[in-house]
């Protein structure tokens, strides 16, 4: 990384910034394990303090006592749309256009399939799906499978090749807004406009955006979006994901997983399928109520943030945290072969910072975890992308002193060389 001639930053400076942070009180909404700096909220968000009691109530009272009546009495049946409406406020979507349901992979299957149907009926010569080679693999696998099934072609390009790939043959441009590996962020409005200019539909994956950066799906005039519940939304392990479809498209096609929860009148039990109007048809079958209740706790913490400036204020703090991390790594970790894989330009940066390293990235992350600083490792491809040490900065609960402590531990791991110890070099199943 390059040296910058900025003034030296001290621990006291970081503490002073915490003291002045208008969002500081939001940290109290979360359970943060003692002695841990958790920089992996981009993989699995921390637990909202309200979640254990809420989940216990769903189990003991709603399930234990109210049983089947809970579908009406405790609002179970409407919960996917209720939580969807709360998520809608974070991503610039109108009420009634988002549903919290299934996983990101499954929702992607639904919307990509719907987009391909729409394109096939309107622009039959457009039989290409374009995405980024460095997109999250599940997105590419789902697209590959659908392309095989429908006789479409999947074209994968590097980020700088997207514009050139946008030709009249393109049916759908499918991108992840913030890249999971590098933290690089697309200009949603500009890319959507470029896709529309050749007649293509625009599908966004917001897995690393919802709750992390301001998103305006309506303003960008996007067509479809999916996103994740267990990352920045703090919904808990395996939390339901969400799906949004622009209202101009929702009623035009069935989505392929035409289950009874997407039926117009599910309790008439008709043998034929009649899709419900609007986003309801993107529901498939019975939803996990305990998980949805936990997800609602996570999403509610963002509603608490609305009184303090909402996503705009969270974004300001997120950029301050990632800027500080980059400055401190520059200041304290020179000479160890670290590179910066995340763009310096604010407009191109999500809420994470990725450091690249030729050798030892995995072991350094393990040594940091042993010291209570939890980030993660993402393998490079040995060609274009190097191995990555990935640090997510969730402005709801990460503070400036946390950033100082993380870099202090990174400094010590590098200077001591302790990452070279064998125990830090054994790979686990989940990285
Ligand atoms: C995390 C992530 C997913 C996860 O998909 P699941 O179906 O929840 O396993 C999908 N896409 C992207 C871009 C992600 O970052």
């Amino acid at each position: 990384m390059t040296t910058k001639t900025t003034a030296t930053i001290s621990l006291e400076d970081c503490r002073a910034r915490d003291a002045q942070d208008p969002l500081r009180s939001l940290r109290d909404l979360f359970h943060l394990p003692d002695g841990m700096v958790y920089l992996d909220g981009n993989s699995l968000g921390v637990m909202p303090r309200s979640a254990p009691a809420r989940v216990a109530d769903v189990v003991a009272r709603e399930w234990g006592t109210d049983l089947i009546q809970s579908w009406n009495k405790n609002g179970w049946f409407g919960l996917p749309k209720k939580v969807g409406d709360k998520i809608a406020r974070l991503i610039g979507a109108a009420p009634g256009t988002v549903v919290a349901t299934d996983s990101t992979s499954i929702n992607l299957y639904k919307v990509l399939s719907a987009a391909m149907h729409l394109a096939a009926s309107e622009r039959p010569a457009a039989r290409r799906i374009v995405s980024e080679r460095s997109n999250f693999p599940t997105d590419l696998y789902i697209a590959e499978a659908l392309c095989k099934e429908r006789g479409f072609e999947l074209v994968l390009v590097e980020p700088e090749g997207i514009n050139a790939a946008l030709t009249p043959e393109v049916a759908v441009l499918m991108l992840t807004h913030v890249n999971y590996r590098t933290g690089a962020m697309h200009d949603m409005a500009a890319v959507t406009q470029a896709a529309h200019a050749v007649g293509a539909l625009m599908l966004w994956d917001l897995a690393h955006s919802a709750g992390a950066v301001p998103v305006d799906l309506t303003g960008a005039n996007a067509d479809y979006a999916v996103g994740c519940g267990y990352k920045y939304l703090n919904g808990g392990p395996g939390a339901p994901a969400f799906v949004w479809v622009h209202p101009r498209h929702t009623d035009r096609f069935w989505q392929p997983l035409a289950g009874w929860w997407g039926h117009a009148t599910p309790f008439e039990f008709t043998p034929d399928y009649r899709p419900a109007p609007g986003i309801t048809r993107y529901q498939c079958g019975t939803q996990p109520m305990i998980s949805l209740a936990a997800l609602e706790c996570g999403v509610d913490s963002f509603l608490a943030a609305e009184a303090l400036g909402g996503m705009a204020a969270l974004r300001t703090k997120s950029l301050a945290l990632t800027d500080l991390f980059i400055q401190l790594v520059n200041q304290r970790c020179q000479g160890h072969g670290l590179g910066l894989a995340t763009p310096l330009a604010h407009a191109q940066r999500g809420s994470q910072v990725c450091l690249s390293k030729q050798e030892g990235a995995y072991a350094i992350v393990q040594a940091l975890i042993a010291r209570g600083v939890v980030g993660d490792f993402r393998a490079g491809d040995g060609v274009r992308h190097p191995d990555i040490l990935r640090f997510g900065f969730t402005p709801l609960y990460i503070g400036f002193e946390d950033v100082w402590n993380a870099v202090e531990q990174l400094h010590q791991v590098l200077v001591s060389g302790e990452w070279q110890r064998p125990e830090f070099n054994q790979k686990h199943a989940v990285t």
Side-chain angles (χ1 to χ4, degrees):
M1 291 172 72
T2 52
T3 319
K4 276 208 197 158
T5 51
T6 41
T8 304
I9 301 161
S10 68
L11 172 59
E12 286 62 41
D13 297 333
C14 297
R15 287 185 173 148
R17 294 179 74 173
D18 279 331
Q20 291 158 9
D21 172 13
L23 303 178
R24 185 69 178 167
S25 60
L26 294 171
R27 186 181 174 96
D28 300 335
L29 298 175
F30 298 94
H31 172 75
L32 301 171
D34 277 344
M36 185 190 285
V37 178
Y38 191 72
L39 303 180
D40 219 357
N42 50 328
S43 242
L44 176 64
V46 300
M47 186 182 73
R49 276 190 200 278
S50 58
R54 178 74 192 108
V55 168
D57 189 49
V58 174
V59 173
R61 181 178 58 85
E62 297 186 0
W63 177 20
T65 305
D66 294 343
L67 276 166
I68 194 83
Q69 295 179 80
S70 287
W71 290 108
N72 294 314
K73 181 177 170 186
N74 294 313
W76 284 1
F77 192 64
L79 199 51
K81 285 192 276 184
K82 180 182 173 215
V83 177
D85 275 345
K86 292 182 178 184
I87 295 171
R89 288 156 71 161
L90 305 175
I91 56 174
T97 64
V98 176
V99 68
T101 184
D102 298 329
S103 66
T104 306
S105 304
I106 292 173
N107 288 331
L108 187 70
Y109 181 83
K110 297 175 201 167
V111 289
L112 183 56
S113 172
M116 288 162 85
H117 268 295
L118 192 61
S121 73
E122 288 185 344
R123 301 169 56 237
R127 301 198 65 80
R128 205 174 270 178
I129 308 296
V130 172
S131 193
E132 255 180 81
R133 194 179 306 282
S134 66
N135 199 345
F136 192 81
T138 202
D139 297 45
L140 300 182
Y141 303 157
I142 295 281
E144 186 184 344
L146 271 169
C147 283
K148 273 194 184 143
E149 187 186 299
R150 308 271 174 87
F152 278 58
E153 179 194 8
L154 178 62
V155 176
L156 301 182
V157 297
E158 303 300 339
E160 63 275 13
I162 292 171
N163 275 330
L166 286 174
T167 63
E169 289 78 48
V170 179
V172 185
L173 176 60
M174 177 190 89
L175 295 174
T176 297
H177 181 220
V178 176
N179 186 284
Y180 81 103
R181 204 204 300 260
T182 63
M185 181 167 74
H186 287 294
D187 179 338
M188 183 177 281
V191 175
T192 300
Q193 198 178 19
H196 287 174
V198 295
L201 293 161
M202 185 71 229
L203 194 171
W204 288 105
D205 187 329
L206 305 178
H208 294 273
S209 309
V213 298
V215 174
D216 186 1
L217 288 170
T218 307
N221 197 25
D223 298 294
Y224 300 91
V226 297
C228 184
Y230 53 78
K231 291 173 179 159
Y232 289 94
L233 296 182
N234 306 307
F242 64 87
V243 51
W244 171 83
V245 177
H246 193 288
R248 67 176 166 255
H249 301 313
T250 357
D251 290 351
R252 301 184 62 191
F253 282 99
W254 300 9
Q255 53 91 2
L257 304 181
W260 73 305
W261 274 50
H263 194 279
T265 55
F267 289 94
E268 285 179 12
F269 297 101
T270 63
D272 61 314
Y273 184 74
R274 260 188 306 116
I279 197 67
T280 305
R281 69 176 60 186
Y282 279 80
Q283 299 187 136
C284 180
T286 308
Q287 293 301 303
M289 291 303 140
I290 303 170
S291 292
L292 273 165
L295 172 60
E296 189 173 22
C297 294
V299 174
D300 279 345
S301 49
F302 287 94
L303 303 191
E306 278 182 359
L308 303 171
M311 281 311 306
L314 287 165
R315 175 63 171 164
T316 302
K317 180 175 171 189
S318 158
L319 287 170
L321 291 168
T322 52
D323 275 344
L324 175 66
F325 183 79
I326 292 167
Q327 285 161 2
L328 283 172
V329 170
N330 269 327
Q331 182 179 309
R332 312 202 57 208
C333 303
Q334 293 282 340
H336 295 281
L338 290 174
L340 180 65
T342 302
L344 272 176
H346 283 177
Q348 292 166 28
R349 190 192 307 163
S351 199
Q352 69 188 54
V353 177
C354 300
L355 304 177
S356 61
K357 187 139 180 6
Q358 285 298 343
E359 209 189 324
Y362 177 81
I364 293 168
V365 169
Q366 294 308 307
L368 276 171
I369 293 171
R371 285 169 168 269
V373 177
V374 181
D376 61 24
F377 163 82
R378 286 292 174 263
D381 58 9
V383 192
R384 182 183 160 100
H385 298 284
D387 285 354
I388 292 283
L389 300 85
R390 194 173 72 148
F391 303 97
F393 294 86
T394 311
L396 281 172
Y397 53 80
I398 295 297
F400 296 93
E401 185 173 347
D402 293 327
V403 176
W404 174 274
N405 289 334
V407 178
E408 167 64 25
Q409 298 301 328
L410 177 60
H411 169 78
Q412 289 187 25
V413 163
L414 292 169
V415 169
S416 68
E418 72 191 34
W419 57 274
Q420 292 170 21
R421 298 214 298 255
E423 70 259 37
F424 296 135
N425 285 274
Q426 265 160 22
K427 288 258 167 97
H428 302 292
V430 176
T431 60

